[in-house]
Amino acid sequence: GAVVSQHPSRVICKSGTSVKIECRSLDFQATTMFWYRQFPKQSLMLMATSNEGSKATYEQGVEKDKFLINHASLTLSTLTVTSAHPEDSSFYICSAGAATGYSNQPQHFGDGTRLSIL
Amino acid sequence: AQKVTQAQTEISVVEKEDVTLDCVYETRDTTYYLFWYKQPPSGELVFLIRRNSFDEQNEISGRYSWNFQKSTSSFNFTITASQVVDSAVYFCALSEDTGGFKTIFGAGTRLFVKA
């Protein structure tokens, strides 16, 4: 069964709306979660690294004020796309892993959220 | 800096053919992890394999096999006797120890298997 739950799976909303996407680790504690964006027929691009209890680390070119990340607990990270516009329409996918030392578990991915801004 | 190159954008084969998907990576770390994921049209990522940098053994899982060659920084994926259900986008990915284990993906290879 799924170990990372992402919700909602699909969102369609009007331009200017803020949209929140949740990513939950179901049966493990995730100190770190990652948020990716995937445009049609392109690869997954890492947006940011979400660390429990601290500020997220954003990749170059990603607007932190546009994409707000909150990782308030060891099982939940949220991505809020603020004042979304059509160019923000994309497939957003999160992943979580409980990396400890040099033992890296495979990153478990959520099923993604397809965001469409009209 | 970490980088993953999948030079094959699209591959089209006829069912029952064998097909190899290439993956070349770059990293300065000695400890790193390589992955292959499958993304069917429905969009979710399906984990196929993880290999750490200290384990160069090749692996076979049913019709799937992987060839890890550190000397050429390659981690190629072969599907034997391909089936229509294998049609998907396949991503090779790299996770570095010093990178906080964030995973960087290659551009992906879109595989079409025709009946």
Side-chain angles (χ1 to χ4, degrees):
Chain A
V3 296
V4 174
S5 172
Q6 190 171 338
H7 179 80
S9 59
R10 186 174 183 95
V11 180
I12 302 173
C13 57
K14 294 180 179 180
S15 184
T17 307
S18 290
V19 179
K20 180 184 283 188
I21 303 170
E22 294 186 348
C23 181
R24 294 181 185 273
S25 57
L26 298 182
D27 54 6
F28 65 97
Q29 293 184 329
T31 53
T32 304
M33 290 184 177
F34 302 95
W35 288 96
Y36 295 83
R37 179 169 53 184
Q38 185 181 29
F39 291 110
K41 295 190 176 183
Q42 293 189 24
S43 186
L44 283 78
M45 299 302 297
L46 180 66
M47 298 175 66
T49 303
S50 172
N51 302 299
E52 187 271 335
S54 64
K55 290 184 179 180
T57 303
Y58 290 83
E59 296 298 303
Q60 191 172 11
V62 178
E63 301 174 60
K64 61 181 180 181
D65 295 329
K66 174 76 172 176
F67 300 100
L68 300 179
I69 291 173
N70 184 284
H71 194 156
S73 77
L74 285 170
T75 59
L76 174 65
S77 175
T78 61
L79 168 69
T80 300
V81 183
T82 61
S83 186
H85 289 95
E87 59 266 29
D88 298 322
S89 298
S90 187
F91 187 62
Y92 293 86
I93 191 165
C94 71
S95 73
T100 54
Y102 289 93
S103 175
N104 182 28
Q105 296 301 312
Q107 289 293 311
H108 300 284
F109 285 84
D111 286 343
T113 297
R114 198 164 299 281
L115 176 63
S116 300
I117 307 298
L118 306 177
Chain B
Q2 55 190 120
K3 183 179 178 181
V4 178
T5 301
Q6 293 179 257
Q8 304 150 307
T9 305
E10 289 186 0
I11 299 176
S12 183
V13 299
V14 177
E15 212 171 17
K16 298 184 182 178
E17 284 186 15
D18 298 347
V19 58
T20 295
L21 309 181
D22 297 333
C23 175
V24 176
Y25 63 93
E26 293 179 30
T27 178
R28 295 177 183 173
D29 276 24
T30 55
T31 302
Y32 55 89
Y33 300 84
L34 295 163
F35 305 82
W36 275 95
Y37 290 90
K38 175 182 180 179
Q39 188 177 42
S42 49
E44 75 276 14
L45 281 178
V46 178
F47 168 78
L48 297 178
I49 190 172
R50 175 189 70 147
R51 175 65 75 224
N52 74 57
S53 53
F54 302 108
D55 181 4
E56 275 193 86
Q57 282 191 344
N58 293 328
E59 182 159 335
I60 298 174
S61 177
R63 295 185 297 108
Y64 296 168
S65 62
W66 291 269
N67 186 336
F68 178 24
Q69 300 265 350
K70 286 181 74 172
S71 60
T72 56
S73 296
S74 65
F75 187 44
N76 296 337
F77 172 33
T78 298
I79 301 175
T80 303
S82 59
Q83 299 176 1
V84 172
V85 293
D86 295 328
S87 298
V89 181
Y90 291 86
F91 291 100
C92 180
L94 168 68
S95 177
E96 288 178 333
D97 177 21
T98 56
F101 298 119
K102 64 184 180 183
T103 304
I104 300 300
F105 287 79
T109 297
R110 188 174 296 273
L111 176 64
F112 297 97
V113 182
K114 302 176 184 176

